[in-house]
């Protein structure tokens, strides 16, 4: 068990004795612990308002905040008193501040950064220390609402969920889960139901942690007794789940999909198998209530010849392969309810840009333009892919107006698998 003790966080930006407020959990890699998920270079809030990343200038790393909900995207550098380490994690908050996790002297130090004229303001939140050998700590994906941020501390025998921003007294220990956990997917719009991939007894199964009931743990994926079943992505509106499991092919993970609470079996479409490539879903189209089959899913595809973007819908029988924009911050992107896929990119000539791909609802055909500082410019890649280098033109679709409040989401029901002999590969 990870043992931690909390001390109060500073009440303001200034700390007179120069000490970081401390909590009593070694540094995690930017990717998943199993090494199968490629690193994401940019983190976006759930509502798409802000993004954050580590940028580089002359060999020095510094945090950078992107504003995405204005007439055009723009970046604000947030450098500290000294360059950041390459493994430093940053995450945008809903109010425009940027959470940063720094590792120094055996402690994970958390602060909120914000621009203050020519300098960077910093609000110290506290620190978490993991004294157990082999323990790691990393930030979980942005929570809905943008007011709170969470971290996962993984020890040799158990894992802990921490509230590291948005609490009343600095970092707060919320839940202790037996086993080593990885992943991290939010299942609702309130930031209460968190899905984690738990390794226990030699097998990995996705479980749900109810943060509203003291970290109560319940099963989510039970595809086969001897299979490793991970949850990669979920959409609270439609209930669509993107799953990785070796149930169809023991020892080899397959990408599949299911619906939260459904009695239908998990499907493993053949079109999601790309030879000699790693396929990672990174964004699902929201707002498709009761129609999970129509949700657009964005895929990051990494192969021997490089990486590109795939677009797929559960109702389709094929993946549309697209050449991502030059300088794409690989693994990052966002769908709008109207079916527009936003891909952030950074180049020497356009240090803050967003490529916008508009998909026709039925045909799935995409058109797009790249949007950067100073307005819309550049070219989109439309249907282009590794075997189709020619780009297709089109017109950017305006972002939709905010929709009505999301309906309440029921507590997840474990997603069971029908006998594999009835497997659907639609």
């Amino acid at each position: 068990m990870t043992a931690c003790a909390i001390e109060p966080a500073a009440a303001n930006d200034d700390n007179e004795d120069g000490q970081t407020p401390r909590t009593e959990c070694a540094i995690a890699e930017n990717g998943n612990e199993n090494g199968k998920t490629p690193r994401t270079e940019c983190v976006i809030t759930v509502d798409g308002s802000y993004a954050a990343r580590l940028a580089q200038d002359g060999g020095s790393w510094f945090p950078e905040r992107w504003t995405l909900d204005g007439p055009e995207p723009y970046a604000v550098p947030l450098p500290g008193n000294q360059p950041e380490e390459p493994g430093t994690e940053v995450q945008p908050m809903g109010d425009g501040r940027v959470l940063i996790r720094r590792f120094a002297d055996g402690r994970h130090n958390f602060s909120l950064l914000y621009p203050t004229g020519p300098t960077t303001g910093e609000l110290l939140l506290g620190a978490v220390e993991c004294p157990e050998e082999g323990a790691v700590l990393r930030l979980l994906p942005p929570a809905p609402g943008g007011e709170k941020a969470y971290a996962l501390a993984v020890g040799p025998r158990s894992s802990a969920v921490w509230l590291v921003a948005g609490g009343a007294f600095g970092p707060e220990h919320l839940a202790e889960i037996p086993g080593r956990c990885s992943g991290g997917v939010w299942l609702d719009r309130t930031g209460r139901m968190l899905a984690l991939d738990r390794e226990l007894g030699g097998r990995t199964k996705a479980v749900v942690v109810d943060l509203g009931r003291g970290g109560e743990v319940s099963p989510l994926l039970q595809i086969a007794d001897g299979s490793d079943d991970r949850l990669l992505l979920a959409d609270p509106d439609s209930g669509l789940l993107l799953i990785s499991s070796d149930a169809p092919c023991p020892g080899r993970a397959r990408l599949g999909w299911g619906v939260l609470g459904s009695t239908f079996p998990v499907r493993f479409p053949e079109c999601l198998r790309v030879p000699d490539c790693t396929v990672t879903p990174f964004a699902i189209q929201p707002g498709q209530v009761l129609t999970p089959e129509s949700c657009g899913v964005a895929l990051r595809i990494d192969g021997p010849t490089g990486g590109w973007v795939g677009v797929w819908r559960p109702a389709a029988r094929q993946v549309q392969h697209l050449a991502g924009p030059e300088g794409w911050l690989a693994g990052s992107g966002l769908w709008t309810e109207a079916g527009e896929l936003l891909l952030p990119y950074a180049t020497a000539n356009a240090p803050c840009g967003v490529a916008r791909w508009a998909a026709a609802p039925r045909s799935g055909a995409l058109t797009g333009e790249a949007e950067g500082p100073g307005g819309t410019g550049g070219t989109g890649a439309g249907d282009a892919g590794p075997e189709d280098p020619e780009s297709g033109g089109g017109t950017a679709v305006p972002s939709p107006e905010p929709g009505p409040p999301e309906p309440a989401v029921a507590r997840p029901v474990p997603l069971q698998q029908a006998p594999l002999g009835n497997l659907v590969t639609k």
Side-chain angles (χ1 to χ4, degrees), residues 285 334-342 356-359 396-400:
Q285 181 182 356
L334 186 78
W335 281 99
T336 68
E337 290 190 17
E340 189 178 44
L341 177 61
L342 313 182
R356 310 173 74 91
W357 308 102
V397 178
S399 299

Side-chain angles (χ1 to χ4, degrees), residues 136-347:
V136 297
L137 184 143
R138 61 176 180 82
L139 292 176
L140 287 166
E147 298 177 354
K148 299 180 178 181
Y150 300 82
L152 180 68
V154 185
R157 294 170 298 276
S158 67
S159 304
V161 177
W162 286 81
L163 174 65
V164 295
F169 305 104
E172 300 176 17
H173 180 273
L174 299 181
E176 194 79 22
I177 304 130
R180 294 180 59 85
C181 293
S182 59
V185 176
W186 296 101
L187 298 177
D188 63 355
R189 293 293 186 188
T190 66
R192 171 177 172 175
M193 311 303 289
L194 173 66
L196 296 171
D197 302 326
R198 179 174 66 173
E199 180 186 350
L200 192 64
R203 294 296 176 189
T204 300
K205 301 287 185 182
V207 298
V208 180
V209 181
D210 189 342
L211 300 180
R213 301 184 66 176
E216 180 181 282
V217 179
S218 56
L220 178 64
L221 296 181
Q222 302 286 347
I223 297 180
D225 291 339
S227 62
D228 292 324
D229 311 319
R230 295 178 171 88
L231 180 63
L232 305 180
L233 214 57
D235 173 57
D237 297 332
S238 63
L240 178 62
L241 307 179
L242 273 297
I243 294 160
S244 171
S245 175
D246 61 357
C249 305
R252 186 174 61 184
R254 291 276 304 271
L255 186 61
W257 69 280
V259 179
L260 192 64
S262 173
T263 58
F264 289 100
V266 176
R267 295 160 172 83
F268 296 90
E270 191 67 24
C271 65
L272 294 181
R273 300 180 66 183
V274 182
D276 301 321
C277 293
T278 300
V279 181
T280 308
F282 63 88
I284 301 179
Q285 181 182 356
Q288 311 305 301
V289 180
L290 302 179
T291 57
E293 297 85 357
S294 66
C295 289
V297 178
L299 309 168
R300 173 181 177 177
I301 306 176
D302 295 278
T305 60
W308 62 95
V309 181
V311 176
W312 169 80
R313 297 177 189 273
R317 296 179 180 271
Q318 61 183 0
V319 174
Q320 187 173 13
H321 297 274
L322 314 171
E326 180 185 357
W328 177 42
L329 302 178
S332 57
L334 186 78
W335 281 99
T336 68
E337 290 190 17
E340 189 178 44
L341 177 61
L342 313 182
L343 299 175
Y345 66 91
T347 65

